Amino acid sequence: MELELRGITKRFPGVVANDNVNLTIRSGEVLALVGENGAGKSTLMNILYGLYHADEGDIYIDGTPVKFETSGDAIAAGIGMVHQHFMLVPVFTVAENVVLGIEPTRGLSLDRAKAAAEVERISDEYSLGLEPDALIENLPVGIQQRVEISKVLLRDAEIVVFDEPTAVLTPQEIDDFFRIVEALKASGRGIVFITHKLTEALRVADRISVLRRGQTVGEADPSEIDEVGLAELMVGRPVQLVVDKSPAEPGASTLQVNDLHVVDASGRTLVDHTTFDVRAGEIVGIAGVQGNGQTELVEAITGLREILSGTVSVDGIDLTDASPRDVHLAAVAHVPEDRQRSGLVSEFSVAENLVLTRYHSDEFSSGVTMNWSRVRENARELVEQYDVRTPSIDTSAGTLSGGNQQKVIVARELSRDLRLVIASQPTRGVDVGSIEYIHAQVVAARDEGAAVMVVSTELDEVMALADRVIVLYRGRVVADLDRDATNHNEVGLYMAGALDQNEQASA
Ligand SMILES: Nc1ncnc2c1ncn2[C@@H]1O[C@H](COP(=O)(O)OP(=O)(O)OP(=O)(O)O)[C@@H](O)[C@H]1O
Ligand SMILES: [Mg+2]
């Protein structure tokens, strides 16, 4: 099958998201779609999937024009899509979710037993490792994604679109995902793969198509271009892919976490008697395979999760069991891991979101009246500095592209005087050009004397930013290493539980 998008234009208020875009997708090949945040990648794929309607342009299948009024039409034509935010019901089983996914209009009615058998068949065929009776909420993200993939395969999709599928996966899950992509390709399907990780595009794609500001700016052959070249093609200028920083000059201990213990509702240990500190003027990277207590550690420090025992303090101020507001007032910035849940209010404007945690401060209000001109000035400055691609500062934040939403949060959190910065997955979904800027801002916060803690499942990001690396394994600190005295390989061994400094010390 050959799917062709011809002259696609899509306008939203104040922005041309797709501007006369041409794109061809063929069976049996992987097409990577890359481009800056807001370039129009998701919009284009949503048009292909019948979720949005193009203002101009047409879609052709094997030379015949087609019209997709709804995603049901696209599915019937053999197009499947795996969104970044999965559309699964957490309290249902794998098989139940798969049944739910089948439109009754297709006349394909599946009962539960049949669904379970079908899931098993597809799981075997593509080595998905799915158990039909498992509850979605108990499954890791990587497996949930495979449930979405099995839904798409059950509907006989010939072209499968993945919108940033690897952003939420661990390195191990990413390897597994690529194996599945190879199997889909070998079965004759066509794959569209959106990613900001250029090495991934170079690794799996047969062709790479680059969008910039709504237009196709070029196509690249992965065997003829490298990461540096691709970054430049994407952003339109050379991009610094390594972090530029001087050696740290750590001062006094700022964040002190002492014997911290956190359990879940059923009493299971999440953070296990953890002790460490972060000093002013240093960046501590927290490495670990997802699910080893990083999320809960950050939640406990920032007042979002109950602490069973132990203490947290910042500059000697006790913040054990403080509220998120107390933590904020102690000059602590928090870039949350999940921007959809705790970072932005989508209905509020970009300008409002940029002062969300500070609207009551003297800077933006006097008594009960907001100083709107100051709020707007702040927004204009930050939008410019962080290169937030938005039609205006009054646009509601929820309509921004994923990466631009992330930039709004990072801009808000880093743009005040800070003692401590806690950044979880600070560049998730962000394009290479903006990663360069965000990393520079994190280093700048350090150089102005803040203590910085960066939590990332991307080991590359931890190693690039950190002056010191702490590895969490099953809720415990198993390594505390000077960045310059260690390497990816050693940190990887600690992450996998193969090494443990506690045992070395007592042995
Ligand atoms: N539903 C919407 N309403 C208004 N504007 C929108 C909507 N969806 C997208 N846009 C705008 O269209 C442009 C393209 O957005 P899109 O989400 O397609 O970008 P993207 O390339 O996927 O970016 P990212 O890499 O950040 O995900 C952006 O300027 C965005 O603000
Ligand atoms: Mg997108």
PDB file of all heavy atoms in Angstrom, residues 37-38 40-43 84 163-164 194 196 401-403, ligand 2:
ATOM      1  N   ASN A  37       9.553  21.154  18.133  1.00  0.00           N
ATOM      2  CA  ASN A  37       8.282  21.216  18.849  1.00  0.00           C
ATOM      3  C   ASN A  37       7.371  22.232  18.165  1.00  0.00           C
ATOM      4  O   ASN A  37       7.775  23.375  17.930  1.00  0.00           O
ATOM      5  CB  ASN A  37       8.494  21.641  20.304  1.00  0.00           C
ATOM      6  CG  ASN A  37       9.341  20.652  21.090  1.00  0.00           C
ATOM      7  OD1 ASN A  37      10.334  21.030  21.717  1.00  0.00           O
ATOM      8  ND2 ASN A  37       8.968  19.393  21.039  1.00  0.00           N
ATOM      9  N   GLY A  38       6.176  21.800  17.815  1.00  0.00           N
ATOM     10  CA  GLY A  38       5.237  22.696  17.155  1.00  0.00           C
ATOM     11  C   GLY A  38       5.373  22.705  15.642  1.00  0.00           C
ATOM     12  O   GLY A  38       4.684  23.455  14.959  1.00  0.00           O
ATOM     13  N   GLY A  40       4.375  20.554  13.602  1.00  0.00           N
ATOM     14  CA  GLY A  40       3.153  20.066  12.962  1.00  0.00           C
ATOM     15  C   GLY A  40       3.091  18.561  12.759  1.00  0.00           C
ATOM     16  O   GLY A  40       2.222  18.066  12.042  1.00  0.00           O
ATOM     17  N   LYS A  41       3.954  17.828  13.423  1.00  0.00           N
ATOM     18  CA  LYS A  41       4.009  16.368  13.246  1.00  0.00           C
ATOM     19  C   LYS A  41       2.725  15.687  13.722  1.00  0.00           C
ATOM     20  O   LYS A  41       2.102  14.910  12.984  1.00  0.00           O
ATOM     21  CB  LYS A  41       5.211  15.783  14.021  1.00  0.00           C
ATOM     22  CG  LYS A  41       6.547  16.394  13.650  1.00  0.00           C
ATOM     23  CD  LYS A  41       7.683  15.832  14.484  1.00  0.00           C
ATOM     24  CE  LYS A  41       7.585  16.141  15.968  1.00  0.00           C
ATOM     25  NZ  LYS A  41       7.728  17.555  16.336  1.00  0.00           N
ATOM     26  N   SER A  42       2.332  15.983  14.967  1.00  0.00           N
ATOM     27  CA  SER A  42       1.131  15.331  15.507  1.00  0.00           C
ATOM     28  C   SER A  42      -0.109  15.746  14.731  1.00  0.00           C
ATOM     29  O   SER A  42      -0.991  14.929  14.464  1.00  0.00           O
ATOM     30  CB  SER A  42       0.953  15.686  16.994  1.00  0.00           C
ATOM     31  OG  SER A  42       2.033  15.178  17.749  1.00  0.00           O
ATOM     32  N   THR A  43      -0.165  17.017  14.346  1.00  0.00           N
ATOM     33  CA  THR A  43      -1.317  17.497  13.580  1.00  0.00           C
ATOM     34  C   THR A  43      -1.449  16.715  12.274  1.00  0.00           C
ATOM     35  O   THR A  43      -2.532  16.249  11.914  1.00  0.00           O
ATOM     36  CB  THR A  43      -1.157  19.005  13.277  1.00  0.00           C
ATOM     37  OG1 THR A  43      -1.057  19.711  14.517  1.00  0.00           O
ATOM     38  CG2 THR A  43      -2.332  19.541  12.479  1.00  0.00           C
ATOM     39  N   GLN A  84       0.596   8.798  22.220  1.00  0.00           N
ATOM     40  CA  GLN A  84       1.539   8.795  23.322  1.00  0.00           C
ATOM     41  C   GLN A  84       0.821   8.563  24.639  1.00  0.00           C
ATOM     42  O   GLN A  84       1.316   7.876  25.514  1.00  0.00           O
ATOM     43  CB  GLN A  84       2.302  10.103  23.357  1.00  0.00           C
ATOM     44  CG  GLN A  84       3.518   9.975  24.225  1.00  0.00           C
ATOM     45  CD  GLN A  84       4.278  11.262  24.303  1.00  0.00           C
ATOM     46  OE1 GLN A  84       4.225  12.076  23.393  1.00  0.00           O
ATOM     47  NE2 GLN A  84       4.966  11.453  25.390  1.00  0.00           N
ATOM     48  N   ASP A 163       3.213   8.048  17.644  1.00  0.00           N
ATOM     49  CA  ASP A 163       3.573   9.421  17.996  1.00  0.00           C
ATOM     50  C   ASP A 163       4.416   9.415  19.273  1.00  0.00           C
ATOM     51  O   ASP A 163       3.918   9.190  20.367  1.00  0.00           O
ATOM     52  CB  ASP A 163       2.313  10.273  18.194  1.00  0.00           C
ATOM     53  CG  ASP A 163       2.635  11.774  18.201  1.00  0.00           C
ATOM     54  OD1 ASP A 163       3.821  12.138  18.260  1.00  0.00           O
ATOM     55  OD2 ASP A 163       1.674  12.578  18.145  1.00  0.00           O
ATOM     56  N   GLU A 164       5.698   9.637  19.134  1.00  0.00           N
ATOM     57  CA  GLU A 164       6.666   9.632  20.236  1.00  0.00           C
ATOM     58  C   GLU A 164       6.524   8.414  21.154  1.00  0.00           C
ATOM     59  O   GLU A 164       6.364   8.549  22.364  1.00  0.00           O
ATOM     60  CB  GLU A 164       6.565  10.932  21.044  1.00  0.00           C
ATOM     61  CG  GLU A 164       7.013  12.142  20.242  1.00  0.00           C
ATOM     62  CD  GLU A 164       7.085  13.396  21.100  1.00  0.00           C
ATOM     63  OE1 GLU A 164       7.731  13.334  22.156  1.00  0.00           O
ATOM     64  OE2 GLU A 164       6.500  14.414  20.715  1.00  0.00           O
ATOM     65  N   ILE A 194       7.362   8.953  15.002  1.00  0.00           N
ATOM     66  CA  ILE A 194       7.732  10.320  15.390  1.00  0.00           C
ATOM     67  C   ILE A 194       8.651  10.241  16.605  1.00  0.00           C
ATOM     68  O   ILE A 194       8.354   9.530  17.564  1.00  0.00           O
ATOM     69  CB  ILE A 194       6.477  11.155  15.748  1.00  0.00           C
ATOM     70  CG1 ILE A 194       5.539  11.263  14.539  1.00  0.00           C
ATOM     71  CG2 ILE A 194       6.878  12.539  16.255  1.00  0.00           C
ATOM     72  CD1 ILE A 194       4.250  12.022  14.820  1.00  0.00           C
ATOM     73  N   HIS A 196      11.924  12.562  18.971  1.00  0.00           N
ATOM     74  CA  HIS A 196      12.892  13.657  19.130  1.00  0.00           C
ATOM     75  C   HIS A 196      14.291  13.121  19.362  1.00  0.00           C
ATOM     76  O   HIS A 196      15.240  13.873  19.474  1.00  0.00           O
ATOM     77  CB  HIS A 196      12.487  14.566  20.286  1.00  0.00           C
ATOM     78  CG  HIS A 196      11.327  15.434  19.935  1.00  0.00           C
ATOM     79  ND1 HIS A 196      11.418  16.411  18.989  1.00  0.00           N
ATOM     80  CD2 HIS A 196      10.051  15.441  20.369  1.00  0.00           C
ATOM     81  CE1 HIS A 196      10.239  17.003  18.868  1.00  0.00           C
ATOM     82  NE2 HIS A 196       9.395  16.426  19.686  1.00  0.00           N
ATOM     83  N   SER A 401       1.705  22.302  21.396  1.00  0.00           N
ATOM     84  CA  SER A 401       2.252  20.974  21.137  1.00  0.00           C
ATOM     85  C   SER A 401       2.919  20.486  22.430  1.00  0.00           C
ATOM     86  O   SER A 401       3.263  21.285  23.311  1.00  0.00           O
ATOM     87  CB  SER A 401       3.262  21.033  20.005  1.00  0.00           C
ATOM     88  OG  SER A 401       4.492  21.559  20.457  1.00  0.00           O
ATOM     89  N   GLY A 402       3.081  19.158  22.523  1.00  0.00           N
ATOM     90  CA  GLY A 402       3.596  18.546  23.747  1.00  0.00           C
ATOM     91  C   GLY A 402       4.893  19.169  24.245  1.00  0.00           C
ATOM     92  O   GLY A 402       5.029  19.540  25.413  1.00  0.00           O
ATOM     93  N   GLY A 403       5.850  19.309  23.350  1.00  0.00           N
ATOM     94  CA  GLY A 403       7.144  19.840  23.742  1.00  0.00           C
ATOM     95  C   GLY A 403       7.065  21.294  24.193  1.00  0.00           C
ATOM     96  O   GLY A 403       7.801  21.730  25.078  1.00  0.00           O
TER      97      GLY A 403
HETATM   98 MG    MG B   2       3.525  16.164  18.834  1.00  0.00          MG
END
